[in-house]
Amino acid sequence: MKLKKQVTVCGAAIFCVAVFSLYLMLDRVQHDPTRHQNGGNFPRSQISVLQNRIEQLEQLLEENHEIISHIKDSVLELTANAEGSPALLPYHTANGSWVVPPEPRPSFFSISPQDCQFALEDRGQKPELQMLTVSEELPFDNVEGGVWRQGFDISYSPHDWDTEDLQVFVVPHSHNDPGWIKTFDKYYTEQTQHILNSMVSKLQEDSRRRFLWAEVSFFAKWWDNINAQKRAAVRRLVGNGQLEIATGGWVMPDEANSHYFALIDQLIEGHQWLERNLGATPRSGWAVDPFGHSSTMPYLLRRANLTSMLIQRVHYAIKKHFAATHSLEFMWRQTWDSDSSTDIFCHMMPFYSYDVPHTCGPDPKICCQFDFKRLPGGRINCPWKVPPRAITEANVAERYLFPALVWAWSWHFCSLEESGDLPQEWDAQFFNYQRLFDFLNSKPELHVQAQFGTLSDYFDALYKRTGVEPGARPPGFPVLSGDFFSYADREDHYWTGYYTSRPFYKSLDRVLEAHLRGAEILYSLAVAHTRRSGLASRYPLSDFTLLTEARRTLGLFQHHDAITGTAKEAVVVDYGVRLLRSLVGLKQVIINAAHYLVLGDKDTYHFDPEAPFLQMDDTRLNHDALPERTVIQLDSSPRFVVLFNPLEQERLSVVSLLVNSPRVRVLSEEGQPLAVQISAHWRSATDMVPDVYQVSVPIRLPALGLGVLQLQLGLDGHRTLPSSVRVYLHGQQLSVSRHDAFPLHVIDSGSSDFALSNRYMQVWFSGLTGLPKSIRRVDEEQDQQMNMEFLIYGTRTSKDKSGAYLFLPDGEAKPYSPKDPPVLRVTEGPFYSEVVAYYEHVHQVVRLYNLPGVEGLSLDVSSLVDIRDYVNKELALRIHTDIDSAAPEVSKEAAPAGCTEAPHTTHCSGLGRLQPQGW
């Protein structure tokens, strides 16, 4: 009541001051001595000025009156329900724009300098290698490299090791893709299970044998299908060091497209499985096949207590440079780290690939002669036409090429890739190499000690040789910061096409990820409450199985041939079915948990799988279908909508729902009426969906908390605020749907620029393209350029073309030129405004929220691309801006196709690939 009186008095004072000012001005005019001296002839120009000022004052008085009226309404609503949150009641200003009153609580909190102290500290000694600097300095000229173009020559002397033996570790491993040419299950059935079965039997035959495995997803499936005796043998092999599980992730993930949440999640899932079933803790990371390497992975591995790691797919020019400067092993440090807390020791494999011909030395023709899987009569041979020969006592001395190779690459370990689904292939590799090792180790004059080893065997020997603890920096090794993107293996074959290949499934990945996080939080809260309340027996604890399945599905899709979009079509379909199945399961978990948590009387909770208490706000009919939103059927009885905020901080957001009538009242959980924006729901650029309407309401949700809205049939003219719509046809003869509830203005041929604004910014759009041109913040005087344009890249006519992996354009990008100019639809309302541009192949939405806080400072851009008419083309959204980011002008390219969804926003990045695979 005190606040109400203060606002009323303040408003009355403003009104009195304005009226009194007007009275003084008029009184001064009447008593102006100059006017009397001129015989009462007042200059007409001054009269005109006075009239304009009076009109301005009247306008200001009217606006003040409107503001005071709305403030009074807000105060009345606040005092009527002191326990509820105040409604955001917008109002129109005299110039026609919507204004939302400021909130009583601050939108932002001040940041203490201590919160970012690491940014203020002295960085100390800078890393010797910074990849931005290295990339700027290298010419990337692809000069002839010796035995193969992207290779390099190595000079050496066998006498370099006369004082100390050269230790050689041959690391047998089998790289198994959890889906690529074949599906996950087909790979397992036809190959992987046989490899693992052979591994157990062959390692037990000789304790000197070693084997490295990385993909826990396959290992877990195999474990579920073996007997107790074989499980015990596996535990023994892990315990005595013959078998090492490297990295320990559910998969060997891609490092460009995967979100860090999913990277962590698949790592946790794999590590927990290993601890629970084998009692094993991974020590070393093994990443031989991701298409480029991110600095995020060494950070995550170090935080997971791994001490060393290995990477392979790095640009050939960088490998050449690092080899020449003896930098192929280094301490990898985060760019923001001021000391060594994030350091992890990293070994970069020097050559083209991770198989035998490209690991044992610089000449694949010679190395292939030591890949005994390729012995004559086998399934594969050496492309260099010089086959390997079986090692015997009679010819072992002649195989002097092998020590020459390892001398040539001293301190490097050899990687021996096993196919391994046939037992004879294991025998061929193990027997022949062991004979070679026995001969070398029996000749002290050669100064070579060779053996089978795991990855950790190699790193342990290195730490021992240099006299440091595992994970510490060995003397003489450089510190590096940065990442290893973009990757090229030869020529100008840059592996950047996979950044956006099959963007629909990249988007579905993010949808599953968001649902998984929400489901885990709600499930944890619900189960904790039931246990505390003694109601655990009523709650479906079997939902934990659905959570586990979803975590493993999400982890599986982080595989470097899954989220990248580089798998075969049938494999992609298999991934999509798995993603959708897990998404449906997570929705069930969310429904059950929200049902329990939202009840005031928990004793009334009853789980009925046949009649769920709630339903989700969208459904997908198939794995490759866009979501279809639920339309809420209104009547006189309230319909309740439960909302969940999965963030760790309170959030003010606009929530949009579909209803079957524009006559809708929305109330808070306590029954307080809320202001809403009602809009048409469109099926195309000019056609409204009949009997379907969008209601948008701002709501504040607590951190990790639930909220409830009540919707019912009715009309509150003061709070149900319709959007206004302008449609720009640009000369096209199209009929536009109309509805009495929404003001609609059709502009047949206009192309003038226009603006949308909120309390923070004004955004100007091209009237011809519908794309943004500039942004001006209200506290700045100058516009910031932000031009957007669509561009098309063609592909080469040569054999090597752009595809799932590579981006090989035929030249500079050309402007995207559709047959017809876009139809633009501009929607303006109290809580959001948007511009929708309908091109022939692209449907783009740019939305501006009229809210205090973070959402009001954001500009959301989302795009939907129909690619069915375009083949072998690349569609890019290029953004030009003059925003200062350490360069006079920055040009970015973003993908309308490669979008990731958050609860109420859509963000796009990368290049959009148009492939003949549907939406």
Side-chain angles (χ1 to χ4, degrees):
M1 186 59 69
K2 182 179 179 181
L3 177 61
K4 175 183 174 183
K5 290 181 179 179
Q6 289 176 344
V7 173
T8 305
V9 171
C10 180
I14 294 172
F15 180 80
C16 292
V17 168
V19 173
F20 187 63
S21 300
L22 177 60
Y23 172 80
L24 289 178
M25 181 176 289
L26 294 174
D27 184 66
R28 182 175 180 182
V29 170
Q30 291 175 352
H31 295 89
D32 189 349
T34 307
R35 181 175 180 269
H36 289 289
Q37 291 174 3
N38 292 333
N41 295 325
F42 200 88
R44 185 171 298 276
S45 61
Q46 294 188 20
I47 294 176
S48 176
V49 171
L50 180 61
Q51 288 175 337
N52 289 337
R53 290 180 176 176
I54 292 173
E55 292 174 358
Q56 292 175 3
L57 286 170
E58 290 175 342
Q59 185 176 354
L60 288 172
L61 288 173
E62 183 179 348
E63 291 183 13
N64 286 337
H65 179 72
E66 188 175 358
I67 292 172
I68 292 169
S69 175
H70 283 286
I71 292 175
K72 286 181 178 179
D73 291 338
S74 299
V75 172
L76 288 173
E77 291 178 6
L78 176 62
T79 55
N81 192 348
E83 298 300 323
S85 300
L88 292 175
L89 191 61
Y91 59 89
H92 254 123
T93 60
N95 64 4
S97 62
W98 286 99
V99 173
V100 176
E103 292 186 288
R105 69 181 78 191
S107 299
F108 305 99
F109 297 96
S110 60
I111 298 176
S112 170
Q114 286 76 19
D115 293 338
C116 296
Q117 193 63 40
F118 74 92
L120 306 176
E121 294 175 353
D122 181 11
R123 293 301 180 107
Q125 184 180 1
K126 293 183 179 179
E128 292 91 335
L129 299 171
Q130 213 298 321
M131 289 312 301
L132 285 175
T133 304
V134 171
S135 297
E136 289 172 357
E137 294 175 350
L138 289 181
F140 294 96
D141 48 2
N142 193 27
V143 297
E144 183 62 45
V147 293
W148 58 291
R149 183 174 183 85
Q150 284 76 40
F152 44 88
D153 293 321
I154 297 175
S155 60
Y156 69 94
S157 170
H159 299 293
D160 290 342
W161 295 96
D162 284 350
T163 59
E164 193 172 14
D165 286 349
L166 171 63
Q167 288 183 269
V168 178
F169 293 89
V170 173
V171 181
H173 73 100
S174 181
H175 181 68
N176 282 237
D177 290 314
W180 178 41
I181 304 299
K182 305 175 185 178
T183 65
F184 175 85
D185 288 334
K186 196 168 186 180
Y187 268 133
Y188 174 79
T189 302
E190 297 181 0
Q191 290 175 263
T192 306
Q193 65 171 334
H194 304 302
I195 294 171
L196 292 171
N197 287 331
S198 296
M199 175 268 296
V200 176
S201 61
K202 296 302 177 181
L203 290 186
Q204 292 184 96
E205 291 177 3
D206 190 336
S207 62
R208 294 172 296 178
R209 295 175 178 179
R210 299 288 185 271
F211 191 67
L212 186 79
W213 188 265
E215 297 81 12
V216 176
S217 53
F218 271 135
F219 204 90
K221 184 176 179 67
W222 173 70
W223 184 265
D224 291 340
N225 290 279
I226 60 176
N227 57 34
Q229 182 181 1
K230 191 171 288 186
R231 288 182 178 183
V234 171
R235 291 191 182 102
R236 286 195 302 272
L237 293 171
V238 170
N240 66 21
Q242 285 186 262
L243 172 63
E244 178 179 10
I245 310 296
T247 306
W250 201 245
V251 296
M252 186 184 294
D254 173 55
E255 299 180 22
N257 296 275
S258 294
H259 192 274
Y260 74 89
F261 172 88
L263 289 175
I264 296 171
D265 209 55
Q266 66 87 29
L267 197 63
I268 292 173
E269 190 66 23
H271 281 207
Q272 288 187 337
W273 189 94
L274 291 171
E275 172 63 28
R276 186 168 56 250
N277 293 280
L278 300 180
T281 301
R283 298 171 51 203
S284 302
W286 174 262
V288 294
D289 207 27
F291 318 140
H293 296 279
S294 165
S295 60
T296 297
M297 282 306 296
Y299 176 78
L300 297 181
L301 296 182
R302 189 69 190 92
R303 287 292 178 258
N305 287 329
L306 277 71
T307 56
S308 315
M309 64 180 297
L310 173 145
I311 59 176
Q312 155 59 26
R313 290 196 183 271
V314 174
H315 196 293
Y316 60 86
I318 294 175
K319 288 192 174 188
K320 282 187 181 184
H321 174 69
F322 278 19
T325 58
H326 305 284
S327 304
L328 284 166
E329 292 183 311
F330 49 85
M331 300 300 294
W332 201 342
R333 181 177 299 174
Q334 297 302 301
T335 54
W336 44 263
D337 190 357
S338 60
D339 52 34
S340 59
S341 62
T342 61
D343 285 10
I344 186 171
F345 188 78
C346 182
H347 174 101
M348 181 188 297
M349 297 180 74
F351 303 123
Y352 175 80
S353 185
Y354 49 83
D355 57 356
V356 177
H358 298 99
T359 53
C360 81
D363 191 338
K365 179 180 179 180
I366 298 176
C367 284
C368 195
Q369 298 175 46
F370 294 91
D371 187 357
F372 301 104
K373 178 180 63 179
R374 302 171 189 259
L375 286 168
R379 293 185 294 180
I380 57 174
N381 53 30
C382 284
W384 297 272
K385 308 301 182 183
V386 182
R389 287 185 292 161
I391 304 296
T392 64
E393 291 185 7
N395 69 6
V396 65
E398 301 172 9
R399 300 279 81 193
Y400 198 78
L401 287 173
F402 186 77
L405 287 170
V406 296
W407 278 326
W409 198 248
S410 56
W411 268 106
H412 179 55
F413 67 90
C414 295
S415 173
L416 173 63
E417 184 179 22
E418 296 272 8
S419 172
D421 51 335
L422 297 179
Q424 55 266 35
E425 291 181 353
W426 287 79
D427 291 337
Q429 299 283 31
F430 276 137
F431 281 131
N432 284 285
Y433 267 98
Q434 191 61 56
R435 289 169 185 153
L436 192 58
F437 296 162
D438 291 343
F439 173 78
L440 293 173
N441 296 338
S442 68
K443 301 292 182 181
E445 64 274 15
L446 294 179
H447 299 285
V448 175
Q449 289 296 314
Q451 65 189 75
F452 292 117
T454 65
L455 190 58
S456 291
D457 287 338
Y458 169 75
F459 286 125
D460 286 344
L462 186 147
Y463 292 133
K464 181 179 180 180
R465 178 77 65 91
T466 56
V468 299
E469 292 295 320
R473 179 183 180 183
F477 288 84
V479 175
L480 176 144
S481 67
D483 61 36
F484 296 100
F485 290 114
S486 297
Y487 166 62
D489 56 348
R490 61 189 179 93
E491 307 296 339
D492 61 348
H493 289 195
Y494 283 89
W495 293 41
T496 56
Y498 77 94
Y499 293 167
T500 53
S501 293
R502 293 191 167 96
F504 177 87
Y505 294 98
K506 287 176 167 63
S507 173
L508 187 56
D509 163 81
R510 296 300 200 265
V511 173
L512 180 64
E513 189 175 308
H515 279 74
L516 176 59
R517 172 167 171 76
E520 287 180 331
I521 294 171
L522 286 171
Y523 176 85
S524 300
L525 293 173
V527 169
H529 195 284
T530 59
R531 290 173 177 170
R532 208 167 44 241
S533 305
L535 300 174
S537 60
R538 298 191 194 177
Y539 193 81
L541 298 181
S542 58
D543 280 2
F544 186 78
T545 303
L546 297 176
L547 283 175
T548 301
E549 179 190 351
R551 278 196 296 270
R552 294 181 174 182
T553 299
L554 181 67
L556 182 69
F557 197 67
Q558 305 317 302
H559 164 53
H560 55 264
D561 284 307
I563 193 172
T564 55
T566 55
K568 292 291 187 180
E569 185 68 22
V571 181
V572 173
V573 171
D574 182 67
Y575 285 136
V577 171
R578 291 171 182 268
L579 292 171
L580 180 60
R581 182 172 63 238
S582 292
L583 184 61
V584 171
L586 289 177
K587 289 184 176 184
Q588 187 62 50
V589 175
I590 291 172
I591 286 172
N592 294 338
H595 176 194
Y596 178 83
L597 292 170
V598 80
L599 291 176
D601 184 2
K602 299 293 191 290
D603 288 331
T604 63
Y605 174 78
H606 173 68
F607 170 65
D608 184 355
E610 302 301 323
F613 183 73
L614 300 168
Q615 68 179 105
M616 296 296 288
D617 59 344
D618 66 30
T619 57
R620 293 177 185 254
L621 298 179
N622 206 343
H623 70 91
D624 56 355
L626 292 171
E628 296 183 5
R629 296 172 61 190
T630 301
V631 180
I632 300 173
Q633 303 296 317
L634 301 175
D635 54 36
S636 56
S637 301
R639 297 294 304 275
F640 294 92
V641 176
V642 179
L643 306 168
F644 174 56
N645 174 21
L647 303 180
E648 297 92 342
Q649 59 268 359
E650 186 181 70
R651 182 175 185 181
L652 174 64
S653 296
V654 171
V655 175
S656 295
L657 306 166
L658 295 184
V659 295
N660 66 331
S661 172
R663 299 172 56 85
V664 56
R665 296 181 70 238
V666 180
L667 295 87
S668 67
E669 185 174 358
E670 299 82 10
Q672 177 187 11
L674 302 176
V676 301
Q677 176 177 337
I678 190 76
S679 310
H681 185 56
W682 300 80
R683 64 159 57 99
S684 68
T686 58
D687 190 15
M688 298 181 189
V689 180
D691 301 325
V692 179
Y693 308 90
Q694 179 174 277
V695 57
S696 301
V697 54
I699 184 169
R700 182 176 294 279
L701 293 173
L704 305 177
L706 294 164
V708 178
L709 292 177
Q710 302 180 50
L711 282 72
Q712 62 186 89
L713 199 61
L715 185 62
D716 186 343
H718 190 54
R719 294 181 177 84
T720 304
L721 308 169
S723 302
S724 63
V725 180
R726 302 193 307 274
V727 178
Y728 294 78
L729 296 178
H730 292 141
Q732 300 184 59
Q733 301 300 313
L734 300 171
S735 61
V736 182
S737 298
R738 294 180 180 272
H739 195 288
D740 294 340
F742 312 107
L744 177 66
H745 181 47
V746 177
I747 303 170
D748 292 322
S749 58
S751 60
S752 299
D753 294 348
F754 57 89
L756 298 180
S757 61
N758 64 10
R759 63 188 297 169
Y760 298 115
M761 69 180 82
Q762 185 179 56
V763 185
W764 280 92
F765 294 81
S766 166
L768 185 61
T769 67
L771 301 177
K773 297 182 65 176
S774 65
I775 296 177
R776 177 186 291 183
R777 291 182 53 137
V778 295
D779 55 352
E780 297 177 351
E781 296 182 357
Q782 187 174 356
D783 289 354
Q784 298 288 347
Q785 176 192 358
M786 196 195 71
N787 268 319
M788 289 185 182
E789 61 176 333
F790 289 108
L791 301 168
I792 290 289
Y793 286 97
T795 188
R796 300 177 183 180
T797 57
S798 60
K799 178 182 177 181
D800 297 320
K801 299 178 184 294
S802 291
Y805 294 90
L806 304 181
F807 176 53
L808 293 173
D810 59 356
E812 294 294 325
K814 299 176 178 62
Y816 168 65
S817 301
K819 291 184 297 184
D820 299 308
V823 174
L824 308 182
R825 190 176 67 242
V826 182
T827 301
E828 293 187 80
F831 296 123
Y832 79 87
S833 299
E834 68 180 15
V835 178
V836 187
Y838 285 87
Y839 288 84
E840 184 180 359
H841 302 94
V842 186
H843 166 198
Q844 170 136 316
V845 181
V846 180
R847 177 174 287 194
L848 184 66
Y849 289 100
N850 189 22
L851 284 182
V854 174
E855 291 215 13
L857 284 165
S858 306
L859 191 66
D860 280 357
V861 180
S862 63
S863 301
L864 187 65
V865 181
D866 184 351
I867 62 177
R868 288 172 291 189
D869 297 336
Y870 259 159
V871 180
N872 296 326
K873 298 289 185 182
E874 314 280 346
L875 177 64
L877 173 61
R878 180 175 291 171
I879 303 174
H880 294 277
T881 175
D882 60 358
I883 297 173
D884 185 10
S885 58
E889 180 164 341
V890 179
S891 177
K892 302 288 185 185
E893 288 189 353
C899 302
T900 62
E901 295 183 6
H904 303 298
T905 60
T906 306
H907 306 282
C908 304
S909 62
L911 264 180
R913 179 176 311 281
L914 299 180
Q915 294 175 319
Q917 58 196 39
W919 288 84

